[in-house]
Amino acid sequence: MASGGTDLSTRMSAEDENIENKRINDIALTYFKKYKVEISGAIKTTFPFLELLRDHEFITNEMYEKSQESFKKRFSVHEVIYDVLTELEKKFDMSLLGALFSKTIMKNYPDLFRIYKIFYKVLPDIEFLLESDGEENAVRPNEQLSLEQGTGETSYQRLMWLGPDACNYNDTAPPERGSSEHLRETQEINATETCTTSDNRDALESQQANEQCAQQSKTAGIREPMDANVDFGAEILPVTCGEITGLLIKRKFERGSMVKCIRSQDGNWFTLHEFELKAGYKSCNWKNSMRCDRRTLKWLMEKELLPKPPRIYGKIKKPENADKCKICGDEGKLFKCSWCFSFFHGDCHIPPVEPERKPWRCTFCTILQVSSRSQQCYSESEVLARQMGPEEKSKCEFLLLKAYCHFETNIFPNIPHQNYVQKASQCLETLRTLDEIKNNLKKSYSQVKGFVLDMNNIFQDSKHNNSDLIKEEFKKNFKEVFAIQKTNQNSSLV
């Protein structure tokens, strides 16, 4: 019966999330339709707009050629772009907005910035829903908004700290590009929000809820003293949303806003937005509605006390029975091994997955194939003294992945409720130690011995969960992978 209840809860959670994702997509589509003329007007040249749409397969080569022909026949650029947008409307999803507001496009067509602000008004979480274009120093449009709202170094730093909706935190907001243009944009947004369709009514309710959350954040975000009662550097942070409380696991939060990273008091897991829904919020605005020690998560991210979760590429729709990473057990953007058909996050796998390699084989399958062949046996001392060559490194990566699997999928999900924070924090600390070994494995170990010594330090620390059991498993795997010859002597290292 308990299992059936859990399955029902999972299905309902997936259904709620699909409903919310559809609502967000519908709001975005409504505004995309409403502002097609303004978007086409902001596109002054066909290059690189049409080329980016073609290269990312939003339009076919046939449509691209047809658009170029229309332009040659003296159709205006705006007319050509409008026809393309009308066609894209038929198969709209959030990835299209990701391309439209990418760094490359915004740099070439700065007039699109005004359109971005309109979308931001009704979808404050848009920066986490859109595609990241992969450039480390990309300036997002909302960062540019902060820059435009003040002059001088002091104003710049203050507004960047406040974030994209800085005007919501002040009693009066300065005009952004002259009072007449500011008024005109406000009128455009208000006119759109009074549309009689149900989608736009939902959008207006969402905006009002977001503005209310931002207003409530005024004191916590600016005037509140820094006498924190919580260690923001801890792996687990207590969070509240409305009247409910939970525990935010940073390690899971770092994997993306769609990962179940919050544990409630009854032991259930929620994504950020699922936790909002449980608290009674309808808006997708977890950065402002969720707090830790009276401070919003948005404030913590701006102060770099909490990492920003990666943006989601493309469609945010999630299937009911989503696949999970073999290492961490979470969902998200996964890659499938062509041999064992297991799924992995790109960064959970060691070495990181190379998507362009097809077919791709995981480290487990690679090492098991090597181990299945007859190998010459070596003494343990010979193996430990080996230089860390490519083959030795692959075998160490295999052993490290085994350790990750044990902690991430065996120990962490099964930590009992009693003393949960203490025991979960110990497990998460162990995983951070494995992260350090993972980084050292890239270039720091000159011999196999260095890797084994660091792994043994984990086993010898009594606070690490089930140290003896993990050590025995590691010894067994080490001897099998490196073909250690059997002896009657006990090793001092392994």
Side-chain angles (χ1 to χ4, degrees), residues 366-389:
T366 301
I367 297 303
L368 289 176
Q369 185 181 45
V370 172
S371 301
S372 64
R373 300 195 296 262
S374 59
Q375 298 184 73
Q376 179 182 347
C377 292
Y378 300 90
S379 68
E380 183 180 304
S381 58
E382 288 179 305
V383 172
L384 294 173
R386 282 186 194 172
Q387 296 298 306
M388 187 65 81

Side-chain angles (χ1 to χ4, degrees), residues 151-220:
T151 58
E153 184 177 358
T154 303
S155 177
Y156 172 80
Q157 291 175 343
R158 180 177 69 87
L159 289 168
M160 286 298 287
W161 174 67
L162 291 176
D165 51 346
C167 60
N168 288 339
Y169 290 92
N170 295 290
D171 295 329
T172 58
E176 290 153 344
R177 288 193 302 278
S179 58
S180 62
E181 184 173 355
H182 175 74
L183 176 61
R184 183 169 66 252
E185 289 180 7
T186 303
Q187 289 171 339
E188 286 178 351
I189 294 170
N190 290 340
T192 304
E193 287 168 351
T194 56
C195 178
T196 57
T197 65
S198 60
D199 285 336
N200 282 353
R201 284 198 299 271
D202 287 344
L204 182 57
E205 291 174 3
S206 175
Q207 180 188 352
Q208 291 170 340
N210 294 333
E211 290 175 348
Q212 182 180 3
C213 286
Q215 193 64 29
Q216 292 169 351
S217 302
K218 185 174 181 178
T219 303

Side-chain angles (χ1 to χ4, degrees), residues 8-127:
L8 178 60
S9 174
T10 302
R11 287 197 298 273
M12 291 179 66
S13 175
E15 289 172 3
D16 289 342
E17 188 162 354
N18 286 336
I19 291 171
E20 178 61 17
N21 290 341
K22 183 180 184 303
R23 186 187 73 84
I24 292 172
N25 197 80
D26 288 347
I27 293 173
L29 175 57
T30 297
Y31 277 74
F32 181 79
K33 290 179 180 179
K34 181 69 71 174
Y35 285 92
K36 277 191 302 180
V37 171
E38 288 80 2
I39 294 172
S40 61
I43 308 298
K44 308 298 185 184
T45 60
T46 59
F47 181 86
F49 186 73
L50 292 180
E51 283 69 17
L52 185 142
L53 292 179
R54 179 193 60 184
D55 295 346
H56 287 74
E57 299 182 346
F58 289 105
I59 62 174
T60 62
N61 283 326
E62 181 181 0
M63 182 183 295
Y64 173 80
E65 296 296 339
K66 181 180 177 181
S67 300
Q68 295 288 22
E69 286 298 320
S70 298
F71 182 61
K72 291 176 183 177
K73 291 177 181 178
R74 304 193 176 224
F75 283 84
S76 69
V77 173
H78 304 329
E79 290 175 305
V80 172
I81 299 301
Y82 185 87
D83 289 342
V84 171
L85 296 178
T86 300
E87 193 63 30
L88 290 173
E89 177 187 311
K90 299 175 183 177
K91 50 183 179 180
F92 177 89
D93 63 55
M94 293 298 289
S95 62
L96 177 59
L97 292 187
L100 183 64
F101 297 130
S102 65
K103 180 187 176 185
T104 301
I105 294 300
M106 295 294 285
K107 181 179 179 181
N108 283 275
Y109 310 106
D111 288 348
L112 280 174
F113 174 60
R114 183 171 60 85
I115 308 299
Y116 177 85
K117 288 193 291 181
I118 293 173
F119 277 89
Y120 186 86
K121 277 284 185 181
V122 292
L123 293 173
D125 213 32
I126 190 172
E127 63 176 308

Side-chain angles (χ1 to χ4, degrees), residues 220-450:
I222 297 177
R223 301 172 185 170
E224 187 174 347
M226 287 291 291
D227 55 339
N229 298 316
V230 173
D231 177 11
F232 293 123
E235 291 290 344
I236 301 176
L237 296 179
V239 293
T240 60
C241 188
E243 299 298 321
I244 64 173
T245 61
L247 299 173
L248 186 147
I249 311 301
K250 279 187 180 179
R251 189 175 187 85
K252 291 182 175 290
F253 178 82
E254 291 169 0
R255 291 173 182 148
S257 59
M258 303 298 286
V259 171
K260 293 182 183 294
C261 61
I262 296 182
R263 185 182 188 272
S264 64
Q265 288 181 314
D266 56 9
N268 290 317
W269 288 87
F270 299 88
T271 66
L272 293 161
H273 187 53
E274 286 172 350
F275 199 63
E276 269 190 313
L277 292 175
K278 181 178 174 65
Y281 286 86
K282 293 183 179 180
S283 61
C284 184
N285 191 24
W286 55 264
K287 288 182 290 181
N288 282 322
S289 65
M290 213 168 294
R291 297 169 180 272
C292 175
D293 192 34
R294 298 166 294 161
R295 294 167 172 82
T296 64
L297 296 194
K298 178 179 179 180
W299 186 89
L300 294 179
M301 288 188 287
E302 288 168 349
K303 288 295 186 180
E304 298 184 354
L305 297 170
L306 187 67
K308 291 184 178 181
R311 297 182 179 94
I312 305 299
Y313 175 85
K315 296 181 180 180
I316 58 175
K317 179 180 178 182
K318 188 168 68 174
E320 184 174 324
N321 297 315
D323 296 301
K324 295 183 179 180
C325 174
K326 182 173 180 176
I327 307 301
C328 71
D330 288 327
E331 300 166 1
K333 185 174 182 179
L334 302 170
F335 300 89
K336 184 167 71 172
C337 173
S338 300
W339 271 257
C340 68
F341 307 114
S342 296
F343 291 88
F344 302 86
H345 287 123
D347 291 333
C348 282
H349 188 268
I350 311 175
V353 175
E354 298 177 17
E356 64 275 7
R357 289 184 60 185
K358 295 182 180 179
W360 174 75
R361 179 166 56 188
C362 71
T363 295
F364 292 111
C365 292
T366 301
I367 297 303
L368 289 176
Q369 185 181 45
V370 172
S371 301
S372 64
R373 300 195 296 262
S374 59
Q375 298 184 73
Q376 179 182 347
C377 292
Y378 300 90
S379 68
E380 183 180 304
S381 58
E382 288 179 305
V383 172
L384 294 173
R386 282 186 194 172
Q387 296 298 306
M388 187 65 81
E391 182 178 340
E392 287 73 22
K393 184 178 179 181
S394 293
K395 292 179 178 180
C396 290
E397 289 170 344
F398 171 86
L399 295 171
L400 188 55
L401 281 175
K402 283 281 192 180
Y404 269 115
C405 282
H406 184 78
F407 283 103
E408 293 256 31
T409 61
N410 293 337
I411 292 182
F412 188 79
N414 298 309
I415 295 174
H417 183 73
Q418 188 176 8
N419 298 325
Y420 179 84
V421 173
Q422 177 188 354
K423 294 177 181 178
S425 296
Q426 290 175 349
C427 183
L428 292 167
E429 184 181 338
T430 302
L431 288 168
R432 294 295 184 192
T433 304
L434 291 179
D435 291 342
E436 293 175 9
I437 296 175
K438 177 181 175 179
N439 290 329
N440 291 337
L441 194 53
K442 295 176 182 178
K443 54 184 178 181
S444 297
Y445 298 123
S446 59
Q447 293 180 311
V448 174
K449 181 179 179 179

